[in-house]
Amino acid sequence: MLRARSFLNARAGLLLAAAVALAACETKNLPDNAGDLGLNNAAPGSQQDFTVNVGDRVFFETDSAVLTATSRTTLDKQAQWLARYVNHPVTVEGHADERGTREYNLALGARRAAATKDYLIARGVPASRIRTISYGKERPVAVCNDISCWSQNRRAVTLLVAPSG
Amino acid sequence: MKRIAALLLILLASLALTPAHARVEIDITKGNVKPLPIAITPFSAEPAQGQIARDIVAVIDQDLRSSGLFAPIEPAAFLQKVTDPDIMPRFEDWQLINAQALVTGRVIAQPDGRLRAEFRLWDVFGAEQMTGQQFFTTPDNWRRVAHIIADAIYERLTGEKGYFDTRIVFVDETGPKSKRVKRLAIMDQDGANVQLLTRGNDLVLTPRFSPTRQEITYMSFEGGQPRVYLLQIETGERRIVGDFPGMTFAPRFSPDGRKIVMSLQQDGNANIYTMDLATRATTRLTNSAAIDTAPSYSPDGTRIVFESDRGGRQQLYVMNADGSGQTRISFGTGSYSTPVWSPRGDLIAFTKQSGGKFLIGVMQPDGSRERVLTEGFHNEGPTWAPNGRVLMFFRESLGENGGAKLFSIDLTGYNERQIATPAFASDPAWSPPLN
């Protein structure tokens, strides 16, 4: 039961998180007026297009870096999008929920980012285009005290980096 | 090095006329010790030193009370007004109010502007002086003098080293939970004299004291590159520890202060490395397709305890300092992390997750005699007082507006107390003795 509920909440979290991401996006040098655009009006090739129409994040089970079927579907779409818009390097941020100790969560976030990176590479994104970083449990997007929030925080987020030059 | 200003210590001649056997002592190895009634009399002083004398007595009182081992008696109950601390007190007056120990003292201005602070500790029922000391120091150093006097009283009555003249480095936390600003901070063990050491531009985590220098090792996300750093407390000078091809984290010093032991993240795995700070030579100690992290040396430097999920869940392992002989020591229900070896060598403290709770516990280095000290929604990251009798840790409170606060607890599991901090605070690390 726990697992099923967690999974449902993770899906609900995906939609919620898409909205959160507009505010939480930390990628520099991208136009930040994209939040004014409607969901269907995101400029093709923009972070908002990527976040809203592709899905910028995948979610994990507790203590796991295994990509779920839902996650693989999202990453397939990410890889397709990145094949179409080849200018952007990406940073994959790995995160953990707060129900773990600090050092372990740093490593767990890194493991999630690495699993995400490996999958994108296997789907044709050049390794040189992908950087990873782990924030452990330091950057939660949801701050309530139950499974619905923790499952949103166990995530790997793909952020577009402005093209160099 | 202003705060470590020289303190001159002189033993005061004992006033006991005949050798008597001290009766008053505390066995702190037993749980829930009944606090020892102690009378701390106002220190005599000229009016110009009156406030400092009162402040010193207040800090001694607070230190001893906070240990949970002493019950300072309300001054209103005192029958004798001690005016000259060099004269034998009227022990029968102190016996009547059941003071087991008595502290007298004075503060005197010296011609050169310094202060002379002195105290005597008396065994009330043994009717003799137990110890007497005097210190010369600058007036701005009064708080340290008070802590040193409290340490001397604690040591004489318990037989253990005191821990009041020590400091805590920790992470000061402000701002919303989803976007915390974290700064390195340092304070006295009682929460006084908080100083921020970083400005909050970069995420900083897990500061740890050098055992030998005024130096901290910690992790910082500066420049978007999470790595282990060294920080000189007095000068603010920083440097990166080593040149590793990935995130370095979970640093601690070796007991001789010469090495840093830490984790290096490569792809999905974290392994444990040391770096010699003088030669910059690095040594890989673990080589597993797992998360090996949170290493902590035994005080003799021969062994290292760490956590690993190589068996599925996080468990504690001990290895020799060269990486050989890796042996699992934790076998209870749940997962174990953040092990820290006691400065006495006899115990390892840890965080344990079990049944949806986060506990702080201790076990012997072979994994036997596991004991829980405190449990709740989220307790994490124990650190030992230098005498190995008290632990500090952080506790997260619930909710969007919740956050971490620092707590101390006796090794017996009693006397849990919150340490006052200006904001939320996490990742405490206790300093070695300052003197």
Side-chain angles (χ1 to χ4, degrees):
Chain A
M1 270 319 285
L2 195 70
R3 181 171 291 261
R5 181 169 170 230
S6 170
F7 177 68
L8 286 175
N9 281 318
R11 284 169 62 90
L14 193 67
L15 295 174
L16 240 182
V20 169
L22 295 177
C25 168
E26 290 184 355
T27 305
K28 312 291 190 295
N29 304 325
L30 285 170
D32 57 5
N33 61 348
D36 300 330
L37 302 169
L39 283 186
N40 298 319
N41 291 336
S46 68
Q47 175 77 48
Q48 274 57 49
D49 180 32
F50 184 74
T51 301
V52 175
N53 297 324
V54 175
D56 68 343
R57 61 196 59 201
V58 295
F59 299 96
F60 297 87
E61 294 295 325
T62 300
D63 283 347
S64 171
V66 175
L67 296 168
T68 64
T70 309
S71 296
R72 291 196 298 273
T73 303
T74 301
L75 294 180
D76 286 339
K77 288 163 69 181
Q78 286 190 8
Q80 287 162 18
W81 194 94
L82 290 168
R84 186 169 172 195
Y85 301 103
V86 295
N87 286 337
H88 288 292
V90 297
T91 295
V92 177
E93 290 183 353
H95 298 271
D97 68 29
E98 50 271 60
R99 303 307 285 157
T101 45
R102 197 171 316 287
E103 296 90 335
Y104 174 76
N105 277 348
L106 286 167
L108 181 59
R111 189 184 264 174
R112 287 171 176 161
T116 303
K117 175 183 175 177
D118 289 347
Y119 191 88
L120 291 173
I121 291 170
R123 287 292 179 273
V125 182
S128 60
R129 237 178 118 184
I130 310 172
R131 178 180 163 272
T132 62
I133 188 169
S134 171
Y135 285 98
K137 61 175 170 177
E138 307 305 318
R139 291 287 179 263
V141 289
V143 292
C144 68
N145 292 307
D146 58 41
I147 290 167
S148 66
C149 276
W150 301 335
S151 61
Q152 290 178 57
N153 292 333
R154 295 191 298 268
R155 69 202 191 276
V157 182
T158 304
L159 291 170
L160 305 186
V161 179
S164 52
Chain B
M1 299 296 281
K2 178 164 144 276
R3 299 206 63 256
I4 318 297
L7 284 157
L8 185 61
L9 161 68
I10 298 169
L11 290 176
L12 295 179
S14 174
L15 293 182
L17 301 175
T18 54
H21 296 290
R23 297 176 191 173
V24 53
E25 57 183 30
I26 302 175
D27 179 359
I28 67 174
T29 61
K30 298 206 173 79
N32 199 15
V33 172
K34 191 164 177 289
L36 183 91
I38 186 170
I40 307 167
T41 64
F43 282 17
S44 63
E46 294 296 320
Q49 284 74 47
Q51 188 58 48
I52 254 183
R54 284 189 291 276
D55 290 343
I56 286 174
V57 167
V59 169
I60 295 169
D61 180 297
Q62 181 54 34
D63 278 349
L64 295 177
R65 196 183 295 275
S66 75
S67 74
L69 300 175
F70 300 89
I73 296 169
E74 281 305 311
F78 296 173
L79 300 175
Q80 182 188 8
K81 185 172 189 296
V82 176
T83 50
D84 183 348
D86 288 338
I87 295 174
M88 292 272 270
R90 291 197 307 268
F91 290 114
E92 59 275 18
D93 283 2
W94 299 101
Q95 289 165 3
L96 270 176
I97 63 169
N98 194 35
Q100 299 290 309
L102 171 67
V103 179
T104 60
R106 82 168 117 223
V107 177
I108 302 168
Q110 299 298 107
D112 61 4
R114 292 188 305 161
L115 291 178
R116 187 173 99 216
E118 57 183 57
F119 80 97
R120 295 177 192 273
L121 173 66
W122 308 88
D123 178 348
V124 170
F125 286 86
E128 64 165 350
Q129 179 180 320
M130 298 182 79
T131 186
Q133 297 174 3
Q134 64 181 17
F135 305 91
F136 293 87
T137 188
T138 53
D140 64 347
N141 219 16
W142 68 268
R143 238 188 140 85
R144 272 206 76 192
V145 170
H147 290 314
I148 289 168
I149 291 172
D151 277 338
I153 294 166
Y154 179 100
E155 182 170 355
R156 187 65 184 81
L157 290 172
T158 68
E160 303 279 348
K161 285 281 184 194
Y163 56 90
F164 305 122
D165 184 29
T166 55
R167 292 200 278 176
I168 307 291
V169 63
F170 65 100
V171 173
D172 170 84
E173 299 194 17
T174 51
K177 205 166 195 171
S178 58
K179 205 161 188 178
R180 276 278 201 268
V181 173
K182 295 198 171 191
R183 297 174 174 88
L184 294 185
I186 192 168
M187 63 184 180
D188 297 349
Q189 55 77 28
D190 60 355
N193 291 322
V194 175
Q195 287 176 265
L196 296 173
L197 300 176
T198 61
R199 290 180 181 169
N201 301 330
D202 302 301
L203 178 60
V204 291
L205 303 169
T206 63
R208 312 294 182 203
F209 265 104
S210 163
T212 53
R213 295 177 299 275
Q214 289 293 309
E215 194 172 40
I216 291 165
T217 184
Y218 66 105
M219 183 205 191
S220 171
F221 280 67
E222 185 173 337
Q225 299 279 342
R227 283 181 297 202
V228 169
Y229 284 75
L230 287 174
L231 172 69
Q232 308 294 325
I233 297 172
E234 304 295 334
T235 66
E237 183 191 332
R238 288 176 305 118
R239 70 175 166 114
I240 297 167
V241 177
D243 181 20
F244 292 94
M247 173 174 75
T248 48
F249 63 110
R252 282 187 196 276
F253 284 91
S254 61
D256 62 8
R258 291 181 181 171
K259 288 179 188 169
I260 300 288
V261 63
M262 65 196 138
S263 283
L264 168 65
Q265 186 77 31
Q266 287 185 284
D267 300 324
N269 304 324
N271 280 290
I272 295 172
Y273 286 71
T274 57
M275 193 184 104
D276 186 299
L277 292 172
T279 67
R280 300 179 66 82
T282 60
T283 307
R284 181 176 187 150
L285 299 184
T286 71
N287 190 353
S288 72
I291 293 171
D292 294 348
T293 190
S296 169
Y297 275 94
S298 62
D300 65 4
T302 62
R303 287 182 292 169
I304 294 169
V305 62
F306 63 100
E307 62 173 80
S308 175
D309 67 351
R310 61 184 66 178
R313 300 189 75 172
Q314 291 160 279
Q315 297 290 343
L316 304 187
Y317 292 75
V318 168
M319 62 184 168
N320 296 318
D322 64 0
S324 66
Q326 297 177 18
T327 308
R328 179 172 162 180
I329 61 164
S330 63
F331 292 95
T333 308
S335 59
Y336 296 77
S337 55
T338 75
V340 199
W341 216 302
S342 158
R344 303 164 71 96
D346 56 344
L347 292 169
I348 288 165
F350 53 82
T351 306
K352 178 178 180 177
Q353 289 168 253
S354 182
K357 291 182 172 178
F358 280 58
L359 329 169
I360 302 294
V362 294
M363 62 173 65
Q364 295 191 348
D366 63 1
S368 66
R369 302 186 69 174
E370 179 179 328
R371 204 150 53 76
V372 172
L373 302 183
T374 188
E375 66 173 47
F377 170 68
H378 194 119
N379 302 287
E380 182 178 341
T383 179
W384 292 91
N387 72 354
R389 289 291 178 195
V390 181
L391 291 132
M392 199 175 285
F393 57 94
F394 69 92
R395 170 175 294 164
E396 296 270 0
S397 54
L398 291 159
E400 191 172 344
N401 299 316
K405 287 288 192 177
L406 304 185
F407 288 80
S408 66
I409 192 165
D410 199 83
L411 182 54
T412 57
Y414 291 94
N415 194 37
E416 184 176 286
R417 282 166 192 264
Q418 186 177 330
I419 312 299
T421 49
F424 289 129
S426 59
D427 292 7
W430 220 307
S431 77
L434 294 183
N435 44 4

